[in-house]
């Protein structure tokens, strides 16, 4: 026990948690963006991430393309896929009660997952493109994790700035706050929703590409990640983009410490226990939530 | 309940009761699975079909009940007590969980239930002293009842589940639940105690899966974390209830029969294809036939998606 309270080990756990948290933050903020704009919880969000991961895997094994370069192909592709899914499926359930959209995206996630199994089987895959570590004094940063965290932060902050600073981003926020008034103001809400879903898909795709360098993954891996995302958006407030960023970092750090002190298997259950804990203490999320009432 | 429906139900039961007399082992095993799915789909129907609160984790009650029952049988208790225990432990799990999540509107409940099954599986894997971890528990066939007894037990569970749904459907309580589904705010305003209603429906919906879990182990004589907390069980019960017609008495029976029939004809060799098919069915039903197959037969207006509310209140878009 004494060893584990060593400040260096604690620091190392913190670093590991922050690095993982950045990836979670990117993934969950996409989910929250969609929820904020159209009140749809996309249960298939983690499958979009895996589309990105398998995309990176195919590009790496078939063409030897490095995941960092694969980003330039995968991200636009998943953006387009998200746009199409919104156009063909999700648009039909927008504005309908949550039961409908939950079941529709649940169906979509089952379909995508099993297409994955049919193509890639259930074996775990990985993309070992980047190895080695950066050493800062006593602390070690595995290169793939550091790069993944950096890319995640750049992406998430980029989307945040897009939402806050650009005219189009303002339109997205307007639809999120009040779709009717946004329509009256001349905003094409349907187009904004397709853009939003595409954007969320692109963020998931980027997260998936980064994930492919760090973890081994299978078509079934989505379940763990969607659970983490749910915990994060409940912690950060449902529909709150920035809240998901904090929530993601928080979950990453808590998981790292649970993993360090207990076991990695308990770390898997952390997200859920945190979710239940937040519901117990502050049922509407730690930061005010769109669904507070 | 209309007399015609009672007669129809009795005829079905009589037919099912003849099963072991005329059918082979294979037929009995198939029907046992079918009864199990009817029982599970009806349980899901009770909370999700009636109130519009989608439970994505009902398999957890099945698994927890299965473990509770298995441990009882292993310690030498008679199987009927084990079934009761499975049911009660599932109930004991549902009360705090429902209390936590059902005070809130739809989204939180769905989000909390989606992870429940997975967490239960992790706990069952890690709690080795109780569950023997991933290696699972094998029960001696000698202490288990024969297939025919399990057959009738599962049939009884399917009947009880259907009767509960029918009783609730035709009662004032059932009206309250449907009022919650259509507009929770309005239901509250006219004096429905929505939290109590949702909680009661949820707790009732956990009873049968707990018992079914135990009977299933009595039939297979083996349990491990991934068989008890099988995520595809969630998919199946949701698809069956939705496909037949959720929020109705006969929809889940119809849905379970059709989907199980299709599965028996198409499935066995291709599990991934089968699940993909179920996912596509769910998508198709939700988008194009929200009332399920049964809405094709009933001329009465079946619930349309616009009114199947989780009580989110405000309309968007």
């Amino acid at each position: 026990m004494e060893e584990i309270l060593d400040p260096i080990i604690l620091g190392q756990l913190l670093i590991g948690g922050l690095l993982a948290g950045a990836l979670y933050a990117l993934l969950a903020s996409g989910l929250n963006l969609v929820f904020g704009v159209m009140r749809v919880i996309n249960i298939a969000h983690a499958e979009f991430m895996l589309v990105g991961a398998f995309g990176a895997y195919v590009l790496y094994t078939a063409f030897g393309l490095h995941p960092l370069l694969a980003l330039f192909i995968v991200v636009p592709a998943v953006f387009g896929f998200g746009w199409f899914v919104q156009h063909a499926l999700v648009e039909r359930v927008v504005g309908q009660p949550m039961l409908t959209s939950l079941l529709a995206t649940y169906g979509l996630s089952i379909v995508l997952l099993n297409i994955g199994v049919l193509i890639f089987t259930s074996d775990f895959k990985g993309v070992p493109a980047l190895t080695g570590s950066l050493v800062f004094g006593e602390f070690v940063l595995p290169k793939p994790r550091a790069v993944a965290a950096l890319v995640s932060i750049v992406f998430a902050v980029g989307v945040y700035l897009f939402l806050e600073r650009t005219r189009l981003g303002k339109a997205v926020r307007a639809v999120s706050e009040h779709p009717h008034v946004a329509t009256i103001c001349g905003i094409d809400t349907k187009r904004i929703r397709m853009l939003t879903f595409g954007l969320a898909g692109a963020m998931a795709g980027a997260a998936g590409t980064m994930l492919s360098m760090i973890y081994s993954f299978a078509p079934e891996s989505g379940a763990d990640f969607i659970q983490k995302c749910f915990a994060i958006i409940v912690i950060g407030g449902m529909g709150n983009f920035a809240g998901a960023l904090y929530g993601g970092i928080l979950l990453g750090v808590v998981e790292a410490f649970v993993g360090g002190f207990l076991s990695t298997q308990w770390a898997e259950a952390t997200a859920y226990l945190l979710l239940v804990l937040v519901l117990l203490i502050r049922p509407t999320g730690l930061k005010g939530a769109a669904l507070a009432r | 309940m209309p007399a015609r429906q009672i007669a129809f139900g009795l005829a079905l039961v009589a037919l099912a009761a003849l099963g072991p007399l005329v059918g082979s082992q294979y037929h009995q095993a198939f029907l046992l699975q079918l009864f199990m799915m009817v029982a599970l789909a009806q349980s899901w129907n009770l909370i999700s079909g009636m109130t519009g609160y989608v439970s994505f984790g009902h398999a957890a009650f099945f698994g927890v009940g299965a473990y509770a029952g298995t441990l009882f049988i292993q310690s030498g208790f008679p199987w009927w007590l084990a079934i009761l225990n499975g049911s009660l432990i599932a109930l004991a799990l549902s009360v705090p969980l429902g209390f936590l999540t059902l005070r809130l509107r739809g989204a939180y409940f769905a989000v909390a239930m989606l992870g429940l099954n997975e967490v239960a599986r992790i706990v069952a894997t890690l709690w080795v002293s109780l569950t023997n971890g991933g290696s699972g528990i094998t029960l001696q066939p000698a202490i288990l009842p024969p297939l025919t007894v399990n057959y009738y037990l599962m049939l009884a569970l399917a009947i009880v589940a259907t009767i509960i749904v029918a009783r609730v459907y035709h009662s004032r309580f059932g009206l309250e639940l449907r009022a919650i589904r259509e507009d929770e705010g309005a239901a509250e305003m006219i004096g429905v105690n929505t939290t109590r209603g949702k909680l009661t429906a949820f707790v009732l919906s956990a009873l049968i899966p707990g018992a079914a879990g135990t009977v299933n182990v009595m039939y297979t004589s083996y349990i491990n974390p991934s068989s008890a907390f099988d995520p595809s069980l969630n998919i199946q019960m949701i698809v069956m209830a939705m496909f037949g017609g959720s929020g109705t008495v006969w929809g889940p029976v119809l849905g379970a029969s059709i989907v199980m029939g299709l599965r028996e004809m198409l499935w066995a060799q291709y599990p991934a294809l089968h699940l993909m098919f179920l996912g596509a069915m769910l998508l198709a039903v939700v988008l194009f036939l929200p009332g399920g197959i049964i809405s094709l037969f009933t001329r009465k207006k079946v619930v349309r998606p616009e009114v199947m509310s989780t009580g989110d209140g405000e309309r968007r878009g």
Side-chain angles (χ1 to χ4, degrees):
Chain A
M1 210 55 199
E2 222 162 76
E3 274 172 38
I4 213 154
L5 288 176
D6 183 343
I8 293 183
I9 293 180
L10 289 179
Q12 192 67 50
L13 285 175
L14 184 65
I15 291 172
L18 288 172
L19 294 182
L23 190 69
Y24 295 164
L26 175 63
L27 188 64
S29 54
L31 186 68
N32 235 2
L33 181 64
V34 168
F35 183 78
V37 169
M38 54 194 112
R39 292 293 180 275
V40 167
I41 296 181
N42 178 17
I43 294 182
H45 192 65
E47 274 68 36
F48 278 79
M49 175 193 79
L50 288 170
V51 169
F54 278 102
Y57 170 77
V58 168
L59 290 171
Y60 181 75
T61 47
F63 308 106
L65 200 62
H66 194 283
L68 284 175
L69 294 173
L71 273 177
F72 292 95
I73 298 172
V74 169
V75 170
V78 187
F79 179 90
F81 181 55
W83 182 289
F84 169 76
V85 165
Q86 172 70 26
H87 180 75
L89 296 174
V90 184
E91 193 61 31
R92 295 167 192 272
V93 298
V94 168
Q96 291 193 8
M98 203 152 272
L99 175 79
T100 312
S101 57
L102 278 170
L103 287 172
T105 56
Y106 184 60
L108 178 66
S109 81
I110 299 165
V111 171
L112 289 176
L113 189 163
N114 288 290
I115 290 178
V117 174
L118 286 174
I119 301 176
F120 296 103
T121 74
S122 292
D123 298 338
F124 278 86
K125 304 280 194 287
V127 179
L130 201 59
T131 48
S133 296
L134 303 170
V135 179
F136 293 101
E138 305 274 0
F139 299 109
V140 180
L141 268 79
K143 269 189 205 162
R145 280 171 180 267
V147 169
L150 191 68
V151 170
S152 300
I153 291 167
V154 169
F155 249 91
V157 171
V159 175
Y160 181 74
L161 290 177
F162 162 76
L163 291 174
E164 291 293 319
R165 297 284 163 81
T166 66
R167 220 177 135 73
L168 199 55
K170 204 172 180 180
V172 172
R173 285 186 292 132
V175 176
S176 167
E177 271 174 34
H178 212 305
H180 291 305
V181 176
T183 313
I184 292 165
C185 294
I187 294 170
D188 183 348
T189 47
K190 180 169 189 261
R191 224 181 144 70
I192 292 294
R193 283 195 294 267
M194 293 198 290
L195 172 76
T196 304
F197 210 87
L199 206 54
M203 293 166 84
T209 311
M210 291 301 100
L211 170 105
S212 72
M213 301 194 301
I214 312 174
Y215 303 107
S216 50
F217 54 93
E220 287 92 344
S221 304
D224 296 343
F225 284 93
I226 198 70
Q227 193 50 52
K228 291 182 209 290
C229 283
F230 286 157
I232 292 166
I233 66 173
V234 169
I235 292 168
M238 294 182 101
N240 183 333
F241 185 89
L245 299 181
Y246 307 133
I249 304 278
L250 181 70
L251 177 66
V253 172
V254 174
E255 265 189 1
F257 280 95
V258 171
F261 285 101
L262 288 169
S263 78
T264 46
Q265 278 174 306
W266 280 114
E268 279 175 50
T270 305
Y272 193 74
L273 300 178
L274 217 54
L275 173 84
V276 170
L277 197 68
V278 172
L279 288 179
L280 191 66
I281 302 168
R282 191 79 201 273
T284 52
L286 291 185
K287 292 178 70 74
L291 270 185
R293 282 155 296 127
Chain B
M1 200 169 168
R4 244 187 26 206
Q5 286 192 26
I6 295 178
F8 174 68
L10 286 176
L12 269 187
V13 169
L15 207 61
L18 289 176
L21 303 179
V22 294
S24 64
Q25 289 255 331
Y26 166 79
H27 293 122
Q28 281 189 52
F30 169 73
L31 286 172
L32 188 150
Q33 297 270 315
L34 172 61
F35 301 151
M36 183 173 104
M37 287 322 300
V38 169
L40 293 178
Q42 285 291 27
S43 305
W44 185 85
N45 189 28
L46 198 55
I47 177 72
S48 301
M50 295 280 179
T51 69
Y53 275 69
V54 201
S55 167
F56 288 108
H58 249 60
F61 297 128
F62 176 87
V64 167
Y67 267 108
T70 306
L71 293 172
F72 250 51
I73 293 177
Q74 205 185 19
S75 334
F77 288 97
W79 52 258
W80 59 269
L81 211 57
I83 297 174
L84 198 66
N85 186 44
S87 207
L88 288 177
I89 296 291
L91 179 126
L93 173 67
S94 71
V95 172
L97 197 72
F99 183 75
L100 260 182
T101 53
L102 286 167
R103 289 173 301 159
L104 304 157
R105 296 277 162 100
Y108 291 95
F109 176 70
V111 158
M113 288 306 289
L114 192 67
L116 180 65
N117 191 52
E118 187 56 21
V119 170
R121 195 186 58 76
I122 293 175
V123 172
T125 312
L126 293 179
W127 198 344
V128 179
S129 60
L130 188 73
T131 65
N132 200 22
S135 352
I137 301 171
T138 307
L139 292 173
Q140 292 307 316
I143 55 171
L144 296 172
L147 174 61
T148 313
V149 173
N150 289 329
Y151 177 95
Y152 284 117
L153 285 171
M154 211 56 113
L155 174 62
L157 288 178
I159 295 170
V160 171
T162 307
I163 290 177
I164 293 177
V165 169
R167 294 288 300 213
V168 167
Y169 187 87
H170 293 283
S171 70
R172 184 197 155 88
F173 175 56
L175 275 175
E176 289 184 356
L177 294 184
R178 273 170 287 163
I180 291 173
R181 179 181 69 196
E182 318 238 333
D183 192 331
E184 190 164 348
E188 228 161 67
M189 216 131 71
I190 55 168
V192 175
N193 185 340
T194 54
T195 305
R196 198 182 61 194
K198 288 183 285 186
L199 197 58
T200 312
F202 186 57
V203 169
L204 270 179
S205 79
L207 278 172
I208 299 284
T214 306
V215 177
N216 188 52
V217 175
M218 285 160 50
Y219 160 61
T220 60
S221 74
Y222 177 70
I223 184 171
N224 72 11
S226 32
S227 75
F229 301 103
D230 178 5
S232 80
L233 207 55
N234 279 321
I235 304 171
Q236 290 180 50
M237 67 178 106
I238 293 174
V239 173
M240 288 170 188
M242 287 297 297
F243 189 72
S246 76
T248 67
V249 177
W250 295 105
V253 179
L254 185 67
S257 308
I258 296 175
V259 177
M260 286 295 287
L262 287 174
R263 180 175 110 167
E264 207 54 24
M265 286 189 284
L266 308 170
W267 178 46
Q269 310 87 309
Y270 315 107
L273 211 58
H274 163 68
L275 284 174
M276 192 181 89
F277 188 61
L278 285 184
M281 263 170 104
L282 182 59
L283 257 177
V285 167
V286 168
L287 294 181
F288 304 112
L289 194 65
I293 294 285
I294 207 159
S295 67
L296 298 174
F297 301 106
T298 44
R299 295 209 54 203
K300 249 200 302 183
K301 244 176 43 181
V302 177
V303 180
R304 282 168 293 119
E306 307 92 76
V307 293
M308 288 180 83
S309 175
T310 54
D312 195 21
E314 57 187 325
R315 294 284 137 82
R316 318 279 308 190

